[in-house]
Amino acid sequence: MSESTVVVFGDDPPVRLDRLAGRARVLVCDEASLPELLPAADVLLVWNFTSEAVRAAWPGDGPRPRWVHAASAGVDRLMCPELIASDAILTNARGVFEQPIAEYVAGLVAAKAKDFFGSWELQRQRRWRHRETVRLAGTRAVVVGAGPIGRAIGRTLEALGIAVDLVGRTAREGVRGGDELNGLLPEADWVICAAPLTDGTRGMFGREAFARMKSTALFVNVGRGPLVVQDDLVAALVARRIGGAALDVFEHEPLAADDPLWDVPGLFVSPHMSGDTVGWRDRLAEQFQDNYDRWEAGEPLLNVVDKRLGYVPVD
Amino acid sequence: MSESTVVVFGDDPPVRLDRLAGRARVLVCDEASLPELLPAADVLLVWNFTSEAVRAAWPGDGPRPRWVHAASAGVDRLMCPELIASDAILTNARGVFEQPIAEYVAGLVAAKAKDFFGSWELQRQRRWRHRETVRLAGTRAVVVGAGPIGRAIGRTLEALGIAVDLVGRTAREGVRGGDELNGLLPEADWVICAAPLTDGTRGMFGREAFARMKSTALFVNVGRGPLVVQDDLVAALVARRIGGAALDVFEHEPLAADDPLWDVPGLFVSPHMSGDTVGWRDRLAEQFQDNYDRWEAGEPLLNVVDKRLGYVPVD
């Protein structure tokens, strides 16, 4: 195979692809130069995972990358009919984010159960006020999203003695079907959204879902912002119809300084970082380069996304 | 056995001992009336676990309770030479607090690793600032205190992928001896104090211990306040010699509104509630009444404290 051209979209922070030196022509581009370079790419590495520029620049006809690798778990920002219809292979960063996100969610659940934020607030006020907290063991969680991230979350919550129902698109062993979700929500103490964003999941957490939840339930979104109807969530929190929420992802990221979400009562906001542990960028670069070895050798790539589903299928 | 007199010290909130109705004479007292009632007691239930009045009122000679039950895990506030020397049996609330405290500690560790308090503070400031967080799996914890609470903490941290060294007074299977602690501290990301307060453990976390810890280490105390030299901890935090601390117990409880501890940088303060999950008072009352059944039947009591050690020994 002749030397491939690898176009890297995004360089903040710069990606280090030392192992490709002498093996590939590596070109870095930004949103402005992407449309010009994309047709020249054999391989596109999407390093900037927050932009939708790839979708906009994807060539309908003519030359285009044969392989697109997303340095993220979700690929929703890349998806367009032309990419789906093309013969380009799409791969993702499965394996990098699972355990970090699972730990993050477990921490949020514990922080809510033990009312750490309440204690933090009382500490500011220099007030000693003993409260009774919630015992995690014996509580119930619903984890929506039965891919590797949802499964890791489920395993970690179970390790804390929490009973977990995992909900996927279709029922299979160990996974409840999406049609069972409505029946599960009223029993759940913790409702965790870790689903991929697809046409089928967009807005799945809206007024009706929040109305079914316990008044004490914590809702956590570590999937994608548009899975949630933000206004409906805000209304549920303001009316105290649910016990609280934690969002790590949003419809518009970064959240603007004047966004009303910052001070909704009972809402914990974090800046899309649940999976990003020290060294994550290096792990993403390694993972891409490992797959590049396979590409160069003509071997099947790992983590191939089913473009019609919008994620890597898991049994 | 003739009807016993059960003196309950403390009634805030009131203890419900329904199962003793018609079987025992139950008298409730406070700090003022304790000295008068104590000699009449066959059984003393110490429901107020924050007061040191029992120690002060314990009868040196003459009539005294044959059984003292502490509705707490720690019995340090009861201990006096006369009680130790007497033939009174001392029991405690082993079994009620283990899992809740373990969950609380796991939550604190996750909250630190994922910088929840940092995000909380940034949310107040309406600032979106992505950071890299710490992956729990693969980190190391030292848990000081190899009793049921320390063991539960160890199991729970291990379930999160953390490598745990459990440190007790003496080395035994699965437990490192206290003389090994100095060698373990420099390697620990999380240093958890869950030791009983005895003459041997008082002040064990002082300047020297903090100096041995990693500059990123989190120190957590869920044991008793005097296990820690508070001034030394504050100095370590102010100088950023350690990464942070969380105290649920203090030398003087409740913490006064003007106590300087409330706003030490990097210190999380909570009001001695790590083990107190919803229904804990009921569980404590049930546990006492279960033991009372044994007492009445002349059977050996459960959770007997070795008064010379100051805790219930565990293999």
Side-chain angles (χ1 to χ4, degrees):
Chain A
M1 181 181 267
S2 64
E3 190 180 64
S4 292
T5 298
V6 175
V7 168
V8 180
F9 169 50
D11 67 343
D12 180 25
V15 57
R16 293 186 48 184
L17 303 175
D18 300 347
R19 285 163 50 194
L20 266 54
R23 295 166 58 194
R25 195 163 68 111
V26 177
L27 306 172
V28 175
C29 68
D30 58 15
E31 289 195 354
S33 51
L34 177 68
E36 186 192 329
L37 286 184
L38 200 50
D42 298 301
V43 179
L44 174 66
L45 168 58
V46 183
W47 193 246
N48 174 343
F49 55 88
T50 65
S51 166
E52 302 196 343
V54 172
R55 175 155 57 193
W58 188 260
D61 293 315
R64 58 198 169 215
R66 284 171 290 147
W67 169 30
V68 177
H69 178 79
S72 57
V75 295
D76 49 282
R77 289 195 176 82
L78 305 178
M79 284 306 189
C80 60
E82 293 78 9
L83 173 56
I84 293 172
S86 79
D87 56 2
I89 298 170
L90 177 61
T91 57
N92 78 352
R94 178 177 164 187
V96 172
F97 297 105
E98 287 78 351
Q99 187 57 28
I101 293 179
E103 295 172 353
Y104 197 89
V105 169
L108 287 172
V109 163
K112 171 68 176 174
K114 308 306 180 182
D115 196 22
F116 288 159
F117 297 121
S119 290
W120 187 243
E121 183 58 38
L122 287 162
Q123 182 178 348
R124 287 173 168 273
Q125 302 170 16
R126 311 174 77 92
R127 290 170 63 198
W128 179 278
R129 209 176 76 204
H130 180 277
R131 293 99 66 210
E132 293 181 349
T133 64
V134 170
R135 187 176 168 133
L136 290 177
T139 59
R140 300 195 67 85
V142 168
V143 179
V144 180
I149 294 176
R151 285 162 192 255
I153 293 170
R155 281 193 304 273
T156 303
L157 295 181
E158 279 176 350
L160 294 171
I162 298 171
V164 174
D165 284 305
L166 203 59
V167 178
R169 199 170 63 101
T170 52
R172 49 200 190 274
E173 196 182 328
V175 179
R176 309 289 206 109
D179 54 344
E180 297 178 72
L181 179 59
N182 280 344
L184 294 170
L185 287 178
E187 306 300 324
D189 301 290
W190 325 103
V191 179
I192 315 298
C193 175
L197 177 61
T198 67
D199 289 342
T201 60
R202 188 177 299 271
M204 69 179 295
F205 286 99
R207 195 173 57 85
E208 198 188 340
F210 297 121
R212 288 181 192 276
M213 293 181 197
K214 281 187 180 181
S215 64
T216 52
L218 175 74
F219 174 72
V220 175
N221 188 11
V222 288
R224 283 289 183 259
L227 294 161
V228 176
V229 182
Q230 276 186 190
D231 289 348
D232 291 355
L233 173 61
V234 170
L237 287 167
V238 168
R240 295 182 189 273
R241 280 199 298 275
I242 63 173
L247 300 181
D248 190 52
V249 288
F250 304 87
E251 258 182 78
H252 304 288
E253 299 178 9
L255 217 54
D258 63 353
D259 197 298
L261 281 180
W262 289 113
D263 46 25
V264 173
L267 178 61
F268 175 74
V269 166
S270 59
H272 201 149
M273 58 188 260
S274 67
D276 306 344
T277 50
V278 174
W280 67 296
R281 290 289 196 173
D282 293 337
R283 285 189 288 275
L284 289 173
E286 284 304 309
Q287 182 181 52
F288 170 71
Q289 290 174 109
D290 287 346
N291 235 354
Y292 191 85
D293 292 344
R294 292 174 164 263
W295 166 261
E296 206 178 48
E299 295 170 4
L301 299 180
L302 298 178
N303 296 354
V304 174
V305 172
D306 180 323
K307 290 187 286 182
R308 300 206 175 267
L309 289 175
Y311 51 88
V312 180
V314 188
D315 290 338
Chain B
M1 183 181 266
S2 63
E3 189 180 65
S4 291
T5 296
V6 175
V7 169
V8 180
F9 168 52
D11 67 343
D12 180 26
V15 57
R16 293 185 48 184
L17 302 174
D18 301 347
R19 285 163 53 194
L20 267 51
R23 294 165 60 194
R25 195 163 69 110
V26 177
L27 305 172
V28 175
C29 68
D30 57 14
E31 289 196 353
S33 51
L34 178 68
E36 186 192 328
L37 286 183
L38 201 51
D42 298 300
V43 179
L44 174 67
L45 168 58
V46 183
W47 193 246
N48 175 341
F49 56 87
T50 64
S51 166
E52 302 196 342
V54 171
R55 174 156 57 193
W58 188 261
D61 294 314
R64 59 196 168 215
R66 283 170 292 147
W67 170 30
V68 177
H69 179 79
S72 58
V75 295
D76 49 282
R77 289 196 176 82
L78 305 177
M79 285 306 191
C80 60
E82 293 78 9
L83 173 57
I84 294 172
S86 79
D87 56 2
I89 298 169
L90 176 62
T91 58
N92 79 350
R94 178 178 164 185
V96 171
F97 297 105
E98 285 79 350
Q99 187 57 27
I101 293 178
E103 294 172 354
Y104 196 90
V105 169
L108 287 172
V109 163
K112 172 69 176 173
K114 308 306 178 181
D115 196 22
F116 289 159
F117 297 121
S119 290
W120 187 245
E121 184 59 37
L122 287 163
Q123 182 177 349
R124 289 172 168 272
Q125 302 171 16
R126 309 173 78 91
R127 287 171 65 199
W128 180 278
R129 209 176 76 205
H130 180 276
R131 292 98 67 209
E132 294 182 347
T133 63
V134 171
R135 186 176 169 133
L136 290 176
T139 60
R140 301 194 66 85
V142 167
V143 179
V144 179
I149 293 175
R151 284 162 192 255
I153 293 169
R155 280 193 305 273
T156 303
L157 295 181
E158 280 175 350
L160 294 171
I162 298 171
V164 175
D165 285 304
L166 202 60
V167 177
R169 199 169 64 101
T170 52
R172 49 201 190 275
E173 195 180 330
V175 178
R176 310 288 206 112
D179 53 345
E180 297 178 70
L181 179 59
N182 280 345
L184 293 170
L185 288 179
E187 305 301 324
D189 301 290
W190 324 104
V191 179
I192 316 297
C193 174
L197 178 61
T198 66
D199 289 342
T201 60
R202 187 177 299 271
M204 68 180 295
F205 286 99
R207 195 172 55 85
E208 198 189 340
F210 297 121
R212 288 181 192 275
M213 293 181 199
K214 281 188 181 182
S215 64
T216 53
L218 175 74
F219 174 72
V220 176
N221 188 10
V222 289
R224 284 288 184 260
L227 293 161
V228 176
V229 183
Q230 277 185 190
D231 289 349
D232 290 355
L233 173 60
V234 170
L237 287 166
V238 167
R240 295 182 189 273
R241 280 199 298 274
I242 64 173
L247 300 181
D248 190 53
V249 289
F250 304 86
E251 258 182 78
H252 303 289
E253 297 178 11
L255 217 55
D258 64 353
D259 197 297
L261 280 181
W262 289 113
D263 45 25
V264 174
L267 178 61
F268 176 73
V269 166
S270 59
H272 201 148
M273 58 188 260
S274 68
D276 305 345
T277 50
V278 174
W280 67 297
R281 289 289 196 173
D282 294 337
R283 285 190 287 277
L284 289 172
E286 284 305 308
Q287 182 180 55
F288 171 71
Q289 290 174 109
D290 287 347
N291 236 354
Y292 190 86
D293 292 344
R294 293 174 163 264
W295 166 260
E296 205 178 50
E299 295 168 5
L301 298 181
L302 298 178
N303 296 354
V304 175
V305 173
D306 181 323
K307 293 187 285 182
R308 300 209 175 265
L309 289 175
Y311 51 88
V312 180
V314 187
D315 289 338

